[in-house]
Amino acid sequence: MTRRGSLIYYLAAWICGCTFMSVCIWLKDLLGAPLMQAYSMRGAVGLLLFNFYALIFGAASAFLGAFLLRRLARVAHWELAWQWVLAGSILSPALLELLGIWGRQMLAGPGTRLRWLLLITLGPTTVLGAGIWLAIPAGAATAFVLYRIHRAFELLADPALILL
């Protein structure tokens, strides 16, 4: 465990961010499905399977987004939840848009030498195909969770606040 809670912070960014994003995409698809498909077991199994792949292909973008959010919050001296949520709802679609466009270019290109980079860009490319607006609520929810974790460890790391 690190003193500032970095391990918990980045693991929460990965697990919560990918799960929130996969739920947003799954709900979008579920609400557009016929009534019988919406209540079938296939829908729940589909969510679990989609979440599994989201955890694999969304890890790099979740870690990068969490890193950028934390650095931005430290530079701007943000101490309120709404500031983190607003930044997360703006940063998440912007980051996923950039990585998704890069992923589309890599998929269209003939080169096989850098195909391993699809591990970084395939998740954002999927989000781009489903609708980039879905990253707004997922980014806001993830930013709120990360804010709570960051604040909890900031209070523990400050010896003056322990006595209070």
Side-chain angles (χ1 to χ4, degrees):
M1 173 89 94
T2 59
R3 186 173 173 204
R4 299 270 182 196
S6 294
L7 181 62
I8 293 173
Y9 179 85
Y10 288 109
L11 283 177
W14 175 43
I15 301 297
C16 293
C18 292
T19 301
F20 292 155
M21 192 70 241
S22 63
V23 166
C24 286
I25 292 174
W26 183 74
L27 282 175
K28 177 193 172 265
D29 289 342
L30 185 70
L31 295 176
L35 186 60
M36 292 309 290
Q37 274 186 332
Y39 294 106
S40 70
M41 250 332 247
R42 205 173 84 196
V45 171
L47 173 63
L48 291 175
L49 185 64
F50 191 71
N51 191 31
F52 173 75
Y53 284 114
L55 289 170
I56 294 170
F57 294 114
S61 60
F63 291 142
L64 181 61
F67 174 78
L68 292 174
L69 181 65
R70 195 176 216 184
R71 293 295 168 234
L72 184 63
R74 279 198 178 147
V75 168
H77 302 290
W78 289 338
E79 296 184 12
L80 300 174
W82 71 267
Q83 295 166 326
W84 281 65
V85 169
L86 182 64
S89 63
I90 294 170
L91 181 65
S92 179
L95 179 64
L96 291 176
E97 179 88 25
L98 289 174
L99 290 174
I101 290 171
W102 184 34
R104 283 185 178 172
Q105 290 173 351
M106 287 177 45
L107 285 171
T112 58
R113 201 175 89 220
L114 299 175
R115 284 287 194 201
W116 64 272
L117 287 175
L118 284 175
L119 189 63
I120 297 171
T121 61
L122 195 57
T125 304
T126 304
V127 173
L128 200 60
I132 197 65
W133 62 271
L134 294 169
I136 296 170
T142 305
F144 181 73
V145 171
L146 296 179
Y147 162 77
R148 299 292 295 175
I149 292 169
H150 178 77
R151 291 294 296 160
F153 280 95
E154 284 294 314
L155 294 176
L156 289 177
D158 190 3
L161 296 175
I162 293 175
L163 298 175
L164 295 177

